[in-house]
Amino acid sequence: MKVGVLTGGGDCPGLNAVIRAVVRRTMAKYGGSVIGYRFGWAGVVDVNTMDLGLDEVSGILPRGGTILGTSRTNPFRTEGGPEAIQEEFARRKLDGMIAVGGEDTLGVAYRLWKEHGLPVVGVPKTIDNDISGTDFTFGFDTALHIATEAIDRLHTTAESHNRVVVVEVMGRTTGWIAVKAGIAGGADLILIPEIPFTLEEVCGTIRSRHARGKNFSIIVVAEGCEFPREAEQGEDRGVVVSQAGTDEFGHVRLGGIANELAKVIQAGTGFETRVSVLGYIQRGGTPTAFDRVLGTRFGVEAADLVHGQHFGKMVSIQGDKVIPIEMGHAMETVKRVDTELYEVARTFFG
Ligand code: F6P
């Protein structure tokens, strides 16, 4: 059995656990071999590979990032991209390709299977935890721990200076990191893309908190929230971007909403306000035990799916069971934070 593996999209802790598991399972259980494709789908189009054996995956379990490298390459945006991938599958006589990625990388995998009949299996990863059909993606737990620790640290400095601190976390169009880190860190207000807010509500929450004797506040805001530019009417909303243009999958680069909010809060409440944007720190470094275990379980299952020729599937975790699901189903919608969870968070606002 000859298996290809690639990692695409933003990196996250736990990718190396998957790669290691794919290699170990394929070699030990099926006597097969694994070839790694470098920098996501770009490595298949350009035939940029590395052999993956026991030596290559030794010692990588606790390492963040991905030994294969990654990119946000969309082969469907490149002339002849899908055809080049088809040729590589045939030339290399691949029995299957394991694509480890978020909605973009898996969306490509799904189209290659659906439209070109290529034997592809998906493994969902992202710190954003926004992929449908799976309770968790690996990388999320690590990001959550990092964001929670940051909020803990910001508490002590905010309290010492009587300041409001606005903490901006990642998550793209969903608020999973924000809501869970905010609950875990005891945030005084959490703003997520799923729940629109007005600037008057934000300032009002801080004013009432300070009125009950608190001299500092921690506000967690997800990068993908729409900023209400006309506070009273709630009109003219839009995400805040850190750079013009879009990537190959049509995504804008989010970032900067905390700065916009801080200006409004300081002007609207009179309290000194500071900003902390956590950014890529949330994606870097060693994975938590949870993410190592999840990545390992996903990698083992993905190798089994290739061996069983169950293509067009994505591995998922539901409860404590690893279950293969239709990749197409997972690609249909983004998994958003439910109101019930947000209501729990809301209990502690102000
Ligand atoms: O999808 C993971 C993620 O970290 C998002 O939370 C964030 O918006 C985006 O990637 C940043 O992408 P890039 O690495 O291209 O700047």
Side-chain angles (χ1 to χ4, degrees):
M1 172 163 114
K2 196 184 262 186
V3 182
V5 62
L6 64 85
T7 53
D11 74 320
C12 75
L15 287 166
N16 287 325
V18 180
I19 296 166
R20 171 177 172 268
V22 166
V23 170
R24 295 291 295 266
R25 184 71 158 188
T26 302
M27 293 180 76
K29 184 148 189 197
Y30 304 118
S33 61
V34 180
I35 179 161
Y37 286 86
R38 313 221 51 213
F39 307 110
W41 289 111
V44 194
V45 174
D46 303 337
V47 193
N48 184 358
T49 65
M50 68 187 272
D51 290 333
L52 290 174
L54 296 181
D55 285 349
E56 285 74 21
V57 298
S58 173
I60 68 172
L61 181 61
R63 269 171 60 186
T66 160
I67 60 165
L68 290 174
T70 186
S71 74
R72 295 195 185 278
T73 305
N74 182 355
F76 285 96
R77 290 277 292 266
T78 309
E79 183 71 28
E83 293 72 22
I85 292 175
Q86 257 177 318
E87 276 167 33
E88 172 59 10
F89 270 65
R91 185 172 46 234
R92 195 84 56 173
K93 294 191 172 59
L94 287 181
D95 292 296
M97 172 73 82
I98 296 172
V100 190
E103 54 157 344
D104 300 332
T105 303
L106 297 181
V108 169
Y110 180 61
R111 285 187 66 183
L112 288 170
W113 176 72
K114 191 91 181 146
E115 297 170 19
H116 298 266
L118 294 181
V120 178
V121 163
V123 174
K125 67 88 226 186
T126 168
I127 63 165
D128 304 334
N129 199 37
D130 60 352
I131 299 181
S132 291
T134 184
D135 293 349
F136 293 103
T137 49
F138 60 87
F140 173 63
D141 186 67
T142 308
L144 183 54
H145 276 72
I146 293 166
T148 302
E149 195 200 330
I151 294 168
D152 287 347
R153 289 176 184 277
L154 291 167
H155 260 101
T156 60
T157 173
E159 188 168 14
S160 303
H161 286 267
N162 291 348
R163 283 175 177 160
V164 175
V165 176
V166 185
V167 192
E168 181 176 313
V169 298
M170 283 184 164
R172 199 159 256 166
T173 59
T174 64
W176 290 104
I177 299 176
V179 75
K180 289 212 169 176
I183 292 172
D188 306 305
L189 182 61
I190 303 168
L191 303 171
I192 62 173
E194 290 87 341
I195 311 281
F197 59 89
T198 67
L199 298 173
E200 189 38 49
E201 279 164 9
V202 172
C203 292
T205 303
I206 297 165
R207 276 192 227 104
S208 66
R209 176 175 157 78
H210 286 231
R212 73 175 172 89
K214 292 290 183 185
N215 289 327
F216 72 98
S217 294
I218 302 287
I219 299 172
V220 177
V221 61
E223 62 175 3
C225 285
E226 293 198 344
F227 187 73
R229 291 189 176 80
E230 303 285 327
E232 301 311 324
Q233 293 81 14
E235 288 168 357
D236 189 21
R237 290 173 170 274
V239 292
V240 181
V241 298
S242 61
Q243 192 177 303
T246 56
D247 69 15
E248 289 193 14
F249 290 92
H251 302 297
V252 292
R253 187 175 299 170
L254 296 166
I257 190 168
N259 292 302
E260 302 297 322
L261 268 177
K263 283 183 228 157
V264 173
I265 291 167
Q266 182 151 325
T269 66
F271 299 122
E272 191 180 21
T273 305
R274 293 283 199 269
V275 168
S276 187
V277 179
L278 301 189
Y280 296 95
I281 287 170
Q282 293 159 97
R283 263 172 37 187
T286 189
T288 58
F290 182 91
D291 282 339
R292 295 182 204 191
V293 173
L294 188 59
T296 299
R297 293 180 74 186
F298 277 0
V300 165
E301 177 71 13
D304 290 353
L305 288 176
V306 171
H307 182 257
Q309 301 190 331
H310 301 298
F311 300 119
K313 305 276 186 203
M314 180 189 93
V315 303
S316 74
I317 184 134
Q318 295 171 31
D320 196 39
K321 292 267 175 282
V322 172
I323 295 172
I325 61 171
E326 294 299 326
M327 215 180 331
H329 172 64
M331 295 301 100
E332 275 163 16
T333 49
V334 167
K335 185 178 72 184
R336 301 198 184 279
V337 173
D338 47 282
T339 321
E340 198 187 325
L341 182 61
Y342 193 74
E343 282 309 311
V344 171
R346 204 195 285 277
T347 309
F348 304 94
F349 291 175

